Amino acid sequence: RKEVEQDPGPFNVPEGATVAFNCTYSNSASQSFFWYRQDCRKEPKLLMSVYSSGNEDGRFTAQLNRASQYISLLIRDSKLSDSATYLCVVNDRGGADGLTFGKGTHLIIQP
Amino acid sequence: GAVVSQHPSRVICKSGTSVKIECRSLDFQATTMFWYRQFPKQSLMLMATSNEGSKATYEQGVEKDKFLINHASLTLSTLTVTSAHPEDSSFYICSAQAGTSGGSSYEQYFGPGTRLTVT
């Protein structure tokens, strides 16, 4: 069974702090990796894809470790608007399959 | 770009009735659409993969005769929950894939979801 595991949190973090989430996946043949953000009672929205070399998008940095089957997301200078659930997502066949979602990590940024 | 709509956004129905949910890609053609279900405090779970012009592929444990999927065009897929029961109450979300030939990473764009309550 394909699984994606995340710490559900919640992570309570003061505004301006740096926070990191981790995720592990069980299928070593997985090909594509993503972080999605889901607000309460809304659909998930793509935050960023995760590449083997690591990638950055503004305050967000994603890393992939294929050997350890581990994905991370770092958020710097956190904003109140970053409060959400962050979903680690894996695609096993590079696009031909549906996505496998983790349960998400709940982040609360406190003023 | 890459907007996916779902209709209705919320529906309440009586046990035993059927409910149809529509998923449309508004500004792109989607050869593949996916249907997910999310129960409270749970992750999204893939129910089925829908390819235009062919039968849907259902995930293990999802009854194909209960969850009827039709992908009649490159911009529309429908999910019909037949003979709904209270345990079918959930958040149903579709996604449409906007891939490129030979690409290695196909993005999926999600609809806003349909919240189904069966009484």
Side-chain angles (χ1 to χ4, degrees), chain A residues 38 41 43 94-95 98-99 102, chain B residues 34 36 38 43 97 104 106 111 115:
Chain A
Q38 186 174 26
R41 300 174 76 84
E43 78 278 19
L99 301 173
Chain B
F34 302 91
Y36 296 84
Q38 186 177 33
S43 60
Q97 192 169 62
S104 62
Y106 289 58
R115 197 161 296 280

Side-chain angles (χ1 to χ4, degrees), chain B:
Chain B
V3 178
V4 177
S5 71
Q6 265 184 258
H7 178 80
S9 58
R10 185 184 298 267
V11 58
I12 301 172
C13 71
K14 291 187 177 179
S15 189
T17 61
S18 295
V19 173
K20 180 186 281 190
I21 303 169
E22 290 187 350
C23 176
R24 293 181 186 272
S25 56
L26 297 185
D27 51 2
F28 65 98
Q29 292 187 328
T31 53
T32 304
M33 289 185 173
F34 302 91
W35 286 96
Y36 296 84
R37 179 168 56 180
Q38 186 177 33
F39 292 107
K41 299 189 186 299
Q42 299 294 314
S43 60
L44 274 78
M45 295 297 292
L46 178 66
M47 298 176 68
T49 302
S50 168
N51 290 296
E52 185 265 339
S54 63
K55 289 184 179 180
T57 302
Y58 291 82
E59 295 298 298
Q60 193 172 12
V62 178
E63 298 175 56
K64 63 180 181 181
D65 294 328
K66 179 170 181 63
F67 298 99
L68 302 179
I69 292 173
N70 184 282
H71 195 154
S73 75
L74 287 172
T75 59
L76 173 64
S77 177
T78 60
L79 168 69
T80 302
V81 183
T82 63
S83 187
H85 289 114
E87 57 264 33
D88 297 325
S89 299
S90 187
F91 190 43
Y92 292 85
I93 310 177
C94 72
S95 72
Q97 192 169 62
T100 56
S101 177
S104 62
S105 179
Y106 289 58
E107 262 186 55
Q108 290 188 22
Y109 298 93
F110 285 84
T114 296
R115 197 161 296 280
L116 170 64
T117 303
V118 184
T119 60

Side-chain angles (χ1 to χ4, degrees), chain A residues 59-99:
Chain A
R59 298 181 293 109
F60 300 85
T61 301
Q63 300 251 320
L64 168 65
N65 184 321
R66 284 188 183 271
S68 301
Q69 294 176 210
Y70 168 100
I71 306 162
S72 66
L73 176 69
L74 182 79
I75 305 175
R76 290 182 299 277
D77 187 24
S78 53
K79 313 288 185 192
L80 294 176
S81 57
D82 293 334
S83 297
T85 296
Y86 289 83
L87 307 173
C88 179
V89 183
V90 172
N91 187 309
D92 289 329
R93 284 203 287 156
D97 281 349
L99 301 173

